[in-house]
Amino acid sequence: KFLKPGKVVLVTAGRYAGRKGVIIQNTDNKNKERSYGNCLIAGVKKYPKKVTKGMSKRRIARRSTVGTFLRVYNHKHIFATRYNMDLSTELRGKISVADASRKANSKKIVKKVFQARYNNGSNRWFFQKLRF
């Protein structure tokens, strides 16, 4: 299918509706735990705010933080875009939501990767609020 790791999606339902995310893992077939096709999504919970020249370094640092989420979503609750984001090298095999401690560690890794991407200026459109 077209829902492959690295595909940028929009969340259409739930707490993070309207937020952008990236597919980390995809499962098309059903299992006992989840009787629907699902995928693990890492997304932007809090977008960075606008920064101006007159602000202090501390204020700029605060406004430039990226909040992230890591969650398993039903395929029906996401909207795939035509965009892809290459996260394979940075996140391959490091992300797990099996238990609370692993999920917390995975969240930290995702936050670090997203923050680095934002600071470098790559994938700028991904870190901007969705306006329509």
Side-chain angles (χ1 to χ4, degrees):
K1 276 194 164 185
F2 57 91
L3 293 174
K4 293 188 172 90
K7 176 69 82 176
V8 175
V9 296
L10 302 174
V11 179
T12 58
R15 182 178 181 180
Y16 301 116
R19 302 282 204 258
K20 293 175 191 166
V22 183
I23 295 176
I24 304 293
Q25 295 168 346
N26 185 35
T27 310
D28 285 325
N29 47 1
K30 305 169 184 178
N31 57 26
K32 273 188 178 179
E33 200 174 285
R34 294 187 170 88
S35 60
Y36 48 86
N38 60 73
C39 47
L40 177 64
I41 293 178
V44 181
K45 176 170 61 175
K46 184 185 143 296
Y47 291 99
K49 293 178 178 167
K50 188 179 175 186
V51 174
T52 59
K53 199 165 43 171
M55 292 181 184
S56 66
K57 286 183 179 179
R58 183 172 170 236
R59 192 168 189 190
I60 289 171
R62 282 291 290 156
R63 292 175 77 89
S64 298
T65 56
V66 179
T68 57
F69 68 86
L70 193 65
R71 192 158 178 202
V72 177
Y73 272 99
N74 187 336
H75 287 167
K76 291 177 182 177
H77 299 154
I78 58 174
F79 179 83
T81 65
R82 64 182 178 168
Y83 300 105
N84 288 306
M85 218 168 129
D86 185 38
L87 294 171
S88 56
T89 54
E90 296 147 325
L91 298 177
R92 183 177 287 152
K94 296 179 184 175
I95 305 300
S96 174
V97 290
D99 57 63
S101 63
R102 282 187 185 168
K103 187 175 180 180
N105 289 339
S106 299
K107 256 191 200 172
K108 287 175 188 170
I109 292 167
V110 168
K111 185 175 172 69
K112 203 177 282 182
V113 169
F114 279 9
Q115 191 67 53
R117 285 277 173 106
Y118 176 73
N119 292 343
N120 290 341
S122 55
N123 306 114
R124 253 198 198 142
W125 48 271
F126 185 74
F127 298 106
Q128 291 172 354
K129 223 174 204 179
L130 184 67
R131 298 201 184 274
F132 56 91

